[in-house]
Amino acid sequence: MFVTRKLPQHLGQSGWVSMLPSRPPRPALDGAVSADIAIIGGGFAGLSAARRLSQLDPKLKVVVLEAGEIAEGATGRNSGFIIDLPHEVSSEDYGGSDSDARRHDFKVHRTAIALAQELATQKGWGKDIFDPCGKYNVALGPEGDRHVASYAKQLDKVGEPYRLLDAREIAAVTGGSSFSSAIYTPGTVIIQPAAYIRGLADSFRNPVKLYENTPALSFEREGVSWKIRTPKGSVKAGKVILANNGQAQNFGLFRGQLLHVYTYASMTEAFRPERLGGERSWAATPAFPMGTTVRRVRGDDGDRILIRSRYTYNPRMQVSEGAIERAGRVHDRKFEARFPGLKGVPMQYRWAGAMALTWNGVPAFGEIEPGIFAAIACNGVGATKATASGIAAAEAALGMDSWLVQVFRGFAAPRRLPPQPFLTIGATANLSMKEWSAGLE
């Protein structure tokens, strides 16, 4: 039997959720139900797994259990990038003997994009929810410029398209004069993550059933099936997909293998579009790892700027209001430095979002018990890697030996983490050093 020790907690008000109209949640599970496959977790991984299962076998009975309401957790706190190429632009990411492996990564990422694109086409979404506009990596100074130039050379080696922008050209995009250079890659999709995941959740029809506000409290072997207990009911299923990311550790799984890191974001009040030149919708990741992600979000009531930066190691999987406030002060400085013309525009929303990482950067994936399949640890690129992991878990649960399943099965096992207190000291120091190295970026 696997019993959870605690339920997820989420602090701060996500701007993505707050901008949307209210949505009545699906009813909580009340009573006993049965399914062919049960999925624990209603985020990118879990709902992508459910969609893939329904594609492969429309008659399959699938039950999805979400502890809270759809989009209220980490998924709705995401920055909204479904990337085909990595955020990081350091030269060691590409080229040399690793070129084939990197192309492998691109194909995995594009598998996630393909599922999202199919959903967007089916739902008839506009660019406010799903925008295949590409993304920018932006630099704020000479060191960042060197990283951008290095990235371009490595993309040449693997034959990926891009466009370099000088300070004037990126200013025409962002409306600000702070950025010194940028590189544009066309394959990324930017989404409104809360709207996207709500739309995915609401796309399901029988025999796929989604229960919200229904945390899994325990699961145990019962004959040839697994029985999942919830506060007011239970699910009996032949197979289970764990898609609850770091929360899997609360069931006693992957102990000593998952790093629990939180990242922070702030979003401004809506401002008049004419206050800032440039394009009204764009997305940029930083030239340096652990730098600052920036998005301009177009809305009917005006435009907003999203600033995401700051990372903390939180082994207990919870953050404080004070941590959000401290991160917010950093965001305010970064916002003012990048957009001095928007002086006086306040932040309206601030929030924290959880990530699960492994020391060696691999997912926690595979059949960990007979009939229990894990799609855990997105390692920081949640919309993309979690989607791909969910697709692979669905295929593996149906006994498929697809190309994607082979890729995920080919990853090494997550490395064991150092013991405490060395882990906390080392993780905290490492995050601080990387943020310090990013400097202005």
Side-chain angles (χ1 to χ4, degrees):
M1 176 182 283
F2 299 88
V3 181
T4 189
R5 295 180 297 170
K6 59 182 178 181
L7 299 178
Q9 295 181 344
H10 309 289
L11 282 184
Q13 186 179 14
S14 167
W16 297 120
V17 176
S18 299
M19 289 191 296
L20 296 176
S22 60
R23 164 191 172 274
R26 298 281 184 98
L29 177 60
D30 188 357
V33 298
S34 62
D36 296 307
I37 298 179
I39 299 171
I40 299 176
F44 285 115
L47 296 186
S48 298
R51 183 170 180 84
R52 184 60 177 148
L53 289 170
S54 66
Q55 289 174 336
L56 294 169
D57 186 352
K59 296 181 180 179
L60 202 68
K61 292 177 66 176
V62 179
V63 166
V64 182
L65 303 177
E66 168 55 32
E69 294 185 14
I70 292 296
E72 293 289 346
T75 299
R77 295 157 184 271
N78 188 280
S79 293
F81 292 74
I82 309 181
I83 67 167
D84 62 337
L85 305 177
H87 291 329
E88 298 184 4
V89 299
S90 50
S91 59
E92 59 266 23
D93 285 334
Y94 295 95
S97 61
D98 289 336
S99 292
D100 289 341
R102 291 303 171 190
R103 291 190 184 95
H104 217 59
D105 292 343
F106 304 162
K107 189 174 178 180
V108 171
H109 296 174
R110 286 164 179 157
T111 299
I113 291 174
L115 181 136
Q117 177 67 71
E118 181 190 46
L119 174 67
T121 301
Q122 175 188 322
K123 302 284 284 185
W125 282 336
K127 292 184 178 180
D128 57 327
I129 299 178
F130 184 94
D131 189 357
C133 61
K135 73 176 178 72
Y136 299 88
N137 284 99
V138 293
L140 274 78
E143 190 63 26
D145 294 339
R146 285 191 285 272
H147 276 249
V148 166
S150 174
Y151 189 40
K153 292 178 181 178
Q154 304 306 326
L155 290 181
D156 285 334
K157 292 181 181 180
V158 292
E160 289 291 331
Y162 65 87
R163 178 165 57 92
L164 288 170
L165 294 85
D166 60 21
R168 178 184 58 80
E169 291 169 322
I170 190 59
V173 174
T174 65
S177 59
S178 301
F179 302 114
S180 54
S181 69
I183 184 170
Y184 168 78
T185 50
T188 288
V189 173
I190 58 173
I191 60 173
Q192 207 286 28
Y196 172 91
I197 209 67
R198 280 186 181 184
L200 177 52
D202 292 340
S203 72
F204 296 124
R205 300 291 181 268
N206 282 332
V208 178
K209 294 185 178 180
L210 166 66
Y211 297 97
E212 296 181 59
N213 294 308
T214 306
L217 303 179
S218 68
F219 56 95
E220 63 180 315
R221 194 74 169 164
E222 194 171 85
V224 297
S225 301
W226 288 91
K227 186 172 184 178
I228 306 171
R229 298 185 186 276
T230 68
K232 295 183 178 181
S234 64
V235 182
K236 190 172 184 178
K239 296 176 181 178
V240 176
I241 294 176
L242 289 177
N244 53 349
N245 217 16
Q247 291 297 321
Q249 186 172 293
N250 286 330
F251 286 96
L253 300 166
F254 304 109
R255 283 182 177 171
Q257 294 176 287
L258 300 180
L259 284 161
H260 304 286
V261 173
Y262 280 73
T263 186
Y264 301 83
S266 296
M267 183 180 284
T268 68
E269 288 185 351
F271 58 85
R272 298 191 313 276
E274 58 268 24
R275 288 200 60 179
L276 182 65
E279 299 173 6
R280 291 188 61 192
S281 178
W282 51 267
T285 51
F288 274 74
M290 308 293 287
T292 304
T293 295
V294 184
R295 278 188 63 174
R296 182 171 177 175
V297 183
R298 179 174 181 163
D300 293 337
D301 58 345
D303 294 358
R304 300 172 187 269
I305 297 292
L306 168 77
I307 300 288
R308 192 187 81 163
S309 69
R310 290 286 293 132
Y311 298 83
T312 58
Y313 173 59
N314 301 79
R316 295 183 179 179
M317 287 179 277
Q318 59 187 33
V319 296
S320 65
E321 293 288 358
I324 295 176
E325 292 175 3
R326 289 189 292 274
R329 291 194 288 270
V330 174
H331 296 164
D332 291 345
R333 294 195 297 270
K334 291 177 179 289
F335 172 66
E336 292 168 4
R338 286 160 176 77
F339 304 102
L342 294 178
K343 186 176 181 179
V345 175
M347 295 293 177
Q348 185 173 3
Y349 307 111
R350 302 191 193 273
W351 65 91
M355 300 187 295
L357 289 71
T358 58
W359 193 356
N360 49 336
V362 299
F365 178 87
E367 192 170 8
I368 58 175
E369 294 278 342
I372 301 288
F373 296 83
I376 303 297
C378 61
N379 285 286
V381 192
T384 311
K385 291 186 176 180
T387 296
S389 181
I391 296 170
E395 294 176 351
L398 292 184
M400 294 179 60
D401 190 30
S402 66
W403 173 86
L404 189 63
V405 170
Q406 291 177 19
V407 169
F408 274 86
R409 283 178 175 161
F411 284 114
R415 286 178 58 188
R416 298 289 302 181
L417 299 171
Q420 295 288 10
F422 305 105
L423 175 57
T424 294
I425 294 170
T428 302
N430 183 267
L431 290 172
S432 298
M433 178 60 70
K434 286 186 175 181
E435 287 189 317
W436 177 82
S437 297
L440 292 174
E441 306 291 340

